[in-house]
Amino acid sequence: MTVVRDDCFVTDERMIPYAEGLGVLMARIAPVVGRETVALGAALGRVLCADVVSGRDVPAFDNSAVDGYAVAYGDLTPNGQTRLEVAGRIAAGHPLDGAVQKGAAYRIFTGAPVPAGLDTVFMQEDVIQDGDGVILPAGVRRGANFRHLGEDVRRGETVLAPGRRLRPQDVGLAASLGCAELPVYTRLKAAIFSTGDEVREPGGDAPEGCLFDINRYSVSGLLTEIGVAVTDLGILPDDPDAIVQALDRASVDHDVILTSGGVSVGDEDHVKGAVNRLGSLHFWRLAIKPGRPIAFGRIKNATFIGLPGNPVASMVTFMCVARAVILRLAGRVAETPPRRFPVRADFAYKKKTGRREWLRAWLTVDGDGRLCAVKFPSEGSGVLTSMVKAEGLVELEEDRGPVAHGDRVAFIPFSEVRL
């Protein structure tokens, strides 16, 4: 198990371009989770921590891809139909007993082993029954409907590399190798909380001047979607000692601690002081909108991440910045950046150069069949309905100026910043 270094999140005071800042963060952090072995049925969604090397060929024997008739290609009439006697039956799990007869066909079923001497399979719907034989059409190629030993995986081949979150197809591939268990990283454990005497739990009352907690639920959901085990510490009061005690306890058995808001310079922003009492806190002034200030620090062996307080800024900053850090801490070193898809802008937007911006948008199709992005009308970081309406984010890079209708822009679907 690794821990983040004390100086890992130290930065300068300048406004840092997004790509540069993210690159620095990725270079400075490493997985902090341990390793364990889990049963194959429990491996879905876990992060692989070692190579999976095949100990066998897949398939392990030549076999038929269809229900039909197996023959030797050399027994076929070159330019016409061929009639062959059916000399046997081969079912899956039941190899032919004995050698094949020359000039004979064999009834065979999908997945059944094709014995030596036969190399081509006719689909049953293409043949004509003729007493004890079959009439086979002309024109079939040698090796048709024939699956060769090892055509999927060869013995000794590395089929899964560490650092990837295991998908259903990955688990299925491991099963095809005969793996009953897989080596994975332990789940990253995150603690999350909100602060503020004005913040109330949904389901209760919210008197004048109070509001229901939003970010604790949205950020917790984002963490859960990427496979993190979340502990909800609830709402902490505006009490410095209470916050220090909660952070101190959480740092003992969690890898990451997250909050939103509460780390600025206001008299009631006690989280910043609490983190500094227990460890260290550094602000990254990224040239981005929404978000800009995001806090990274360390409390004992736990990484601290302070997201912006506005609901939209909190979610977007998590998706575009904190997510990459958390995935790296969780062992997902093979993670690729979210894909950007080129679409047309169905909006105009005044943007200044010098910072990267993410606009909430959804897709539509214009009269020429081209995908277009429609921007949510409001740009406020507190308008959470924009995230509900949107299907993703339009990303405008630092050197991009104003956007006109029809301009090409990059679109990041929400699916690219979740699983």
Side-chain angles (χ1 to χ4, degrees):
M1 180 175 176
T2 308
V3 296
V4 291
R5 303 190 314 270
D6 286 328
D7 62 348
C8 180
F9 297 117
V10 175
T11 186
D12 52 42
E13 295 299 318
R14 66 190 174 92
M15 194 73 76
I16 305 173
Y18 170 74
E20 177 187 339
L22 197 59
V24 170
L25 286 168
M26 293 299 97
R28 291 182 181 181
I29 58 177
V32 299
V33 284
R35 300 181 178 213
E36 63 180 345
T37 300
V38 299
L40 187 64
L44 183 66
R46 302 298 298 273
V47 182
L48 194 67
C49 70
D51 287 332
V52 174
V53 179
S54 179
R56 70 200 303 262
D57 294 310
V58 179
F61 49 87
D62 296 335
N63 68 93
S64 176
V66 298
D67 292 343
Y69 293 86
V71 303
Y73 188 80
D75 290 336
L76 301 177
T77 302
N79 298 311
Q81 292 181 335
T82 304
R83 184 188 185 283
L84 298 177
E85 291 291 321
V86 178
R89 184 178 186 275
I90 311 169
H94 299 278
L96 181 68
D97 186 12
V100 301
Q101 298 178 22
K102 182 173 176 55
Y106 288 82
R107 180 73 167 112
I108 197 166
F109 298 91
T110 303
V114 179
L118 305 181
D119 60 5
T120 302
V121 179
F122 284 81
M123 293 194 299
Q124 62 185 20
E125 52 266 40
D126 292 336
V127 307
I128 299 172
Q129 298 287 333
D130 184 40
D132 293 333
V134 286
I135 298 174
L136 309 169
V140 71
R141 61 176 176 80
R142 184 189 294 272
N145 305 309
F146 187 101
R147 295 192 291 219
H148 293 273
L149 176 148
E151 73 174 33
D152 190 5
V153 178
R154 301 298 302 187
R155 181 191 299 270
E157 180 182 349
T158 298
V159 296
L160 294 172
R164 66 186 298 135
R165 191 179 189 198
L166 293 166
R167 304 166 298 170
Q169 55 265 51
D170 302 321
V171 175
L173 181 58
S176 77
L177 309 179
C179 298
E181 54 189 23
L182 289 173
V184 297
Y185 287 112
T186 56
R187 289 190 185 276
L188 192 79
K189 294 185 290 186
I192 186 169
F193 66 94
S194 296
T195 62
D197 293 340
E198 79 285 5
V199 181
R200 300 302 172 90
E201 190 68 39
D205 294 326
E208 184 177 354
C210 297
L211 70 159
F212 290 120
D213 198 351
I214 299 172
N215 295 345
R216 199 171 102 248
Y217 287 94
S218 58
V219 174
S220 178
L222 289 167
L223 286 165
T224 300
E225 281 193 327
I226 59 174
V228 177
V230 180
T231 300
D232 185 352
L233 302 183
I235 302 170
L236 304 183
D238 284 324
D239 181 335
D241 292 334
I243 295 173
V244 167
Q245 291 174 14
L247 289 176
D248 193 31
R249 288 193 300 269
S251 67
V252 174
D253 54 4
H254 292 87
D255 305 300
V256 180
I257 302 172
L258 292 97
T259 188
S260 56
V263 290
S264 62
V265 296
D267 291 341
E268 296 299 328
D269 290 330
H270 301 300
V271 177
K272 177 182 178 182
V275 175
N276 279 321
R277 282 172 61 179
L278 296 167
S280 59
L281 185 67
H282 306 280
F283 287 88
W284 285 65
R285 300 178 67 246
L286 298 176
I288 60 175
K289 179 186 177 182
R292 192 166 62 181
I294 181 170
F296 291 101
R298 178 177 169 182
I299 303 173
K300 295 182 179 177
N301 290 334
T303 296
F304 176 84
I305 301 177
L307 299 171
N310 283 322
V312 174
S314 178
M315 292 192 73
V316 172
T317 305
F318 180 97
M319 292 175 176
C320 299
V321 183
R323 173 182 178 272
V325 174
I326 291 167
L327 292 181
R328 181 63 60 92
L329 294 172
R332 290 176 66 174
V333 294
E335 189 72 20
T336 56
R339 290 175 295 177
R340 279 81 169 159
F341 297 91
V343 300
R344 300 287 179 179
D346 193 19
F347 62 89
Y349 180 69
K350 294 181 180 179
K351 178 187 177 293
K352 297 180 180 179
T353 59
R355 71 182 177 192
R356 185 169 304 217
E357 297 190 24
W358 292 286
L359 310 177
R360 289 139 275 171
W362 60 92
L363 296 180
T364 187
V365 179
D366 67 12
D368 296 321
R370 299 177 302 184
L371 281 176
C372 298
V374 180
K375 186 180 79 68
F376 190 81
S378 173
E379 297 157 22
S381 291
V383 184
L384 193 56
T385 51
S386 64
M387 295 294 284
V388 175
K389 175 72 172 179
E391 297 173 335
L393 304 171
V394 167
E395 182 178 64
L396 305 176
E397 296 184 343
E398 289 83 352
D399 59 355
R400 184 71 180 257
V403 178
H405 277 275
D407 283 354
R408 181 168 291 186
V409 294
F411 182 76
I412 308 173
F414 284 145
S415 58
E416 286 291 310
V417 285
R418 295 205 300 256
L419 294 183

